[in-house]
Amino acid sequence: MDRPYDVFDDRCPTRLVLDRLADKWSLLLLDRLDAGPVRFNQLRRDIRGLSQKVLSQTLKRLERDGLVERTVRPTVPVSVDYALTPLGRTLTDTVAAFAHWAERNMDAVIAAQTAYDTALAG
Amino acid sequence: MDRPYDVFDDRCPTRLVLDRLADKWSLLLLDRLDAGPVRFNQLRRDIRGLSQKVLSQTLKRLERDGLVERTVRPTVPVSVDYALTPLGRTLTDTVAAFAHWAERNMDAVIAAQTAYDTALAG
DNA sequence: CAGCATCCGCTCGGATACTG
DNA sequence: CAGTATCCGAGCGGATGCTG
């Protein structure tokens, strides 16, 4: 079969999707949602440094792309939780791999940075 | 063992690494370099839409983080090629998964977007 | 060929205040 | 609780021109 989509082509629509996914907040959100449905303010608390505005924007985009599902429960006051769709769930392994990579290889990265910087200074 | 690093903590250094990796151009570069060493202008040509300035910046950051190795060969004129380090190679599976995901699930994403948009319009 | 330097528009994203 | 609305500064990144 031929390749209908190619991320290396800047006119390919996959670029737009890649642009959304290749985002710090999107990755952290998808990773956090893997454990199960989470409510809005809980996400805000869990993902440190994520402002309410950006959280709202990012969730909306992920929902539009079909990765996240928004559920409103008619309590008083209203409660909303976010969960991964089946489509979104196909990404969690990859997303988790990313986060795990940073945490597991941080020391190697720091070492490389130090070596790089001292090589310039020397 | 305890967890020395936590990407959900905004004071954790892994956030900085995640920020670098969670970038469209970094992902495309790492993916492109998986096939083997590539020269500067070749990368520029292969990754459509990537400007020379951003290519240069991104390569330098990836080199500093220890993911990419820069090799200068004393030809005339000088030729430079970039390759993945062993550390960088530990990421390529994940990176490839991302790119492949976008290409393979594009139709589902488009369908979700259309449904989302028409739901708003209706 | 493989970059660096500069200019600059534009968007991202933080802070703040307000609503059902 | 779960958002929306607005303001605004910082920086990403494209365009252009120049170098060894």
Side-chain angles (χ1 to χ4, degrees):
Chain A
M1 71 168 196
D2 56 341
R3 285 173 244 154
Y5 295 119
D6 177 18
V7 282
F8 289 102
D9 182 2
D10 57 339
R11 298 166 308 176
C12 181
T14 52
R15 269 289 175 88
L16 297 174
V17 179
L18 189 63
D19 223 358
R20 306 252 173 265
L21 295 180
D23 171 68
K24 181 176 52 180
W25 302 128
S26 296
L27 287 177
L28 289 174
L29 267 175
L30 290 175
D31 190 45
R32 181 66 187 80
L33 289 177
D34 189 34
V38 187
R39 293 172 62 176
F40 187 87
N41 279 313
Q42 187 64 43
L43 288 170
R44 197 151 97 84
R45 260 172 274 127
D46 289 350
I47 305 178
R48 304 258 111 193
L50 173 56
S51 74
Q52 179 273 329
K53 174 192 172 184
V54 174
L55 172 59
S56 183
Q57 284 180 350
T58 308
L59 282 173
K60 206 170 287 182
R61 281 198 286 243
L62 291 176
E63 187 192 358
R64 180 169 183 267
D65 288 344
L67 298 170
V68 162
E69 188 180 26
R70 180 176 181 269
T71 307
V72 182
R73 275 177 300 157
T75 56
V76 179
V78 65
S79 67
V80 180
D81 50 36
Y82 292 88
L84 293 180
T85 63
L87 182 62
R89 220 166 281 125
T90 65
L91 252 179
T92 51
D93 283 346
T94 306
V95 168
F98 245 103
H100 280 295
W101 191 95
E103 289 173 348
R104 277 193 290 165
N105 297 93
M106 193 60 218
D107 292 331
V109 171
I110 292 178
Q113 290 176 349
T114 307
Y116 184 92
D117 293 344
T118 55
L120 284 186
Chain B
M1 72 166 195
D2 56 342
R3 282 174 246 153
Y5 296 119
D6 177 18
V7 282
F8 288 101
D9 182 2
D10 57 339
R11 298 165 309 177
C12 182
T14 52
R15 269 289 175 86
L16 297 173
V17 179
L18 188 63
D19 223 359
R20 305 251 173 265
L21 295 180
D23 171 70
K24 181 176 52 181
W25 302 128
S26 297
L27 287 177
L28 290 174
L29 268 174
L30 291 175
D31 190 44
R32 182 64 188 81
L33 289 178
D34 189 34
V38 188
R39 294 173 63 176
F40 187 86
N41 279 313
Q42 187 64 42
L43 287 171
R44 198 151 97 86
R45 259 172 275 128
D46 288 351
I47 305 178
R48 304 257 112 194
L50 172 56
S51 74
Q52 177 273 325
K53 174 191 172 184
V54 175
L55 172 59
S56 183
Q57 284 178 349
T58 308
L59 282 172
K60 205 170 288 182
R61 282 199 287 245
L62 291 176
E63 187 191 358
R64 180 170 182 266
D65 288 345
L67 298 170
V68 163
E69 188 180 25
R70 180 177 181 270
T71 307
V72 182
R73 276 176 299 158
T75 55
V76 179
V78 64
S79 67
V80 180
D81 50 36
Y82 292 88
L84 293 181
T85 64
L87 182 62
R89 220 166 279 124
T90 65
L91 252 179
T92 50
D93 283 347
T94 306
V95 167
F98 248 103
H100 280 296
W101 191 93
E103 289 173 348
R104 275 194 291 165
N105 297 93
M106 193 60 219
D107 292 331
V109 171
I110 290 177
Q113 290 176 348
T114 306
Y116 184 92
D117 293 345
T118 55
L120 284 186

